[in-house]
Amino acid sequence: MDAWAAATGPREVLLANPRSFCAGVERAIEVVDRALERFGAPVYVRRQIVHNTHVVHDLERRGAIFVGEVDEVPPGSVLVFAAHGVSPAVRAEAEARGLRVVDATCPLVTKVHTEVRRHSSREATVFLIGHADHEEVEGTVGEAPADVVVVEDVAAAARVVPRDAGNVAYAMQTTLAVDEATEIADVLRSRFPELQAPKSDDICYATTNRQRAVRDIAADCDLLLVVGSPNSSNSLRLVEVAQREGVPARLVDHAADLDLHTLVGMRRIGVTAGASAPPTLVDELVGCLGGLGPLTVDEPSADPEVLRFTLPKEVS
């Protein structure tokens, strides 16, 4: 009761714009929805379709079964590959088991896979800027394991040694923090003048837009709350972006996880959500804050995101 009393009071909420679902996430969820409609339950999904526990639990209730690896799927079943992409070895294993595959890989991740294959075909070393333990990076490395070197930070960029310094390229995990990834790429460019860059930035539009939106509101906030699950890379990066702007930031998987102690003395609260977090969770969080006292909610204007991806032919 004391924590509740200390957390009450009038507040302003500033909503980052844009926030929440991106086109790749919406497509991946729709792929599972349509697979359930077309083929019936159960539909198996390798790994989390997107990194959000609420999305996964909702799809489980409708008949999806999430597995870690392909060998957990009964032969002949329908299997959906998650939005983060898979390696060619995983695709081959699914084919060997006679599975009916529906690929929900985000097209922007597929673009990075294509870049890696292109560079590998000319025997270049590809520096993949990203986190080695992330599923997206695991899948991308699998395109050319002998040619890809994961570079996680500036220190690694400063010491990495390719087999031929004159034949090198780089690619990026799509959900990195833009400023950190740029710093790593700058180090690589300074060391390898022949370094080939992607034709366009690999970090996806949604990640870039959501990080920019956080920077836009950070100076006006006492605290920034990011709705997202702990395994969501893009959500974690939003927390880091806010912290680098000098604002305390917390990741909140759900309004029920909000620690009232963090709200004490915080009158101007920014709220955003990672690209894999449903917008309804943001509404619930704002509703929860409204239960602690009078609330005004503002949202800066921004150009709407209009990108949409076509569905795989198996479910279109």
Side-chain angles (χ1 to χ4, degrees):
M1 184 62 76
D2 289 344
W4 178 273
T8 58
R11 284 194 174 85
E12 299 175 46
V13 164
L14 194 54
L15 293 172
N17 186 14
R19 61 185 178 276
S20 196
F21 280 174
C22 65
V25 166
E26 290 178 339
R27 176 182 182 270
I29 296 170
E30 187 174 1
V31 166
V32 180
D33 273 335
R34 291 205 178 198
L36 286 166
E37 290 175 6
R38 180 158 300 185
F39 305 112
V43 163
Y44 292 82
V45 183
R46 181 184 179 273
R47 311 285 177 87
Q48 291 191 352
I49 185 70
V50 298
H51 284 162
N52 186 270
T53 54
H54 303 277
V55 170
V56 169
H57 292 160
D58 182 55
L59 291 172
E60 284 177 332
R61 284 191 289 271
R62 285 186 266 164
I65 296 177
F66 291 84
V67 298
E69 296 300 341
V70 172
D71 62 7
E72 299 171 49
V73 183
S77 301
V78 175
L79 173 65
V80 176
F81 289 146
H84 302 98
V86 301
S87 69
V90 172
R91 295 181 188 279
E93 185 179 1
E95 183 177 357
R97 290 184 69 80
L99 303 179
R100 304 171 69 181
V101 169
V102 186
D103 190 356
T105 301
C106 174
L108 299 180
V109 175
T110 300
K111 167 182 168 288
V112 178
H113 284 225
T114 302
E115 290 174 5
V116 168
R117 289 197 300 272
R118 179 169 63 85
H119 292 304
S120 176
S121 68
R122 60 180 186 81
E123 300 182 343
T125 296
V126 183
F127 302 127
L128 178 58
I129 301 172
H131 301 129
D133 60 350
H134 192 276
E135 289 170 35
E136 180 185 326
V137 172
E138 291 176 7
T140 306
V141 170
E143 291 288 352
D147 297 325
V148 179
V149 178
V150 178
V151 178
E152 294 195 289
D153 51 32
V154 167
R159 65 174 181 265
V160 67
V161 179
R163 61 184 171 229
D164 178 359
N167 190 14
V168 290
Y170 78 88
M172 291 180 179
Q173 181 182 335
T174 61
T175 54
L176 295 178
V178 175
D179 47 0
E180 279 193 302
T182 300
E183 188 177 2
I184 295 170
D186 287 345
V187 172
L188 293 172
R189 276 191 288 264
S190 69
R191 293 188 60 209
F192 306 106
E194 303 300 322
L195 185 71
Q196 291 199 18
K199 292 180 180 177
S200 59
D201 194 347
D202 286 335
I203 295 177
C204 81
Y205 78 96
T207 299
T208 302
N209 289 348
R210 281 150 188 73
Q211 291 176 13
R212 175 188 48 73
V214 165
R215 284 191 288 270
D216 286 347
I217 65 172
D220 297 321
C221 299
D222 301 321
L223 170 71
L224 188 114
L225 300 175
V226 179
V227 179
S229 292
N231 62 337
S232 167
S233 175
N234 72 84
S235 299
L236 292 171
R237 301 293 86 76
L238 292 176
V239 172
E240 294 170 358
V241 166
Q243 291 171 338
R244 281 197 291 276
E245 295 294 318
V247 182
R250 300 286 186 277
L251 185 69
V252 181
D253 199 14
H254 188 270
D257 299 332
L258 186 60
D259 183 352
L260 292 178
H261 294 94
T262 64
L263 301 178
V264 176
M266 302 295 180
R267 296 301 175 214
R268 298 175 300 170
I269 297 180
V271 175
T272 188
S276 52
T280 53
L281 297 180
V282 174
D283 297 338
E284 291 175 12
L285 177 60
V286 173
C288 177
L289 293 172
L292 296 172
L295 199 69
T296 59
V297 180
D298 292 317
E299 180 178 4
S301 61
D303 293 335
E305 293 177 338
V306 296
L307 183 64
R308 294 291 181 270
F309 296 125
T310 57
L311 293 170
K313 64 180 185 302
E314 293 85 357
V315 294
S316 61

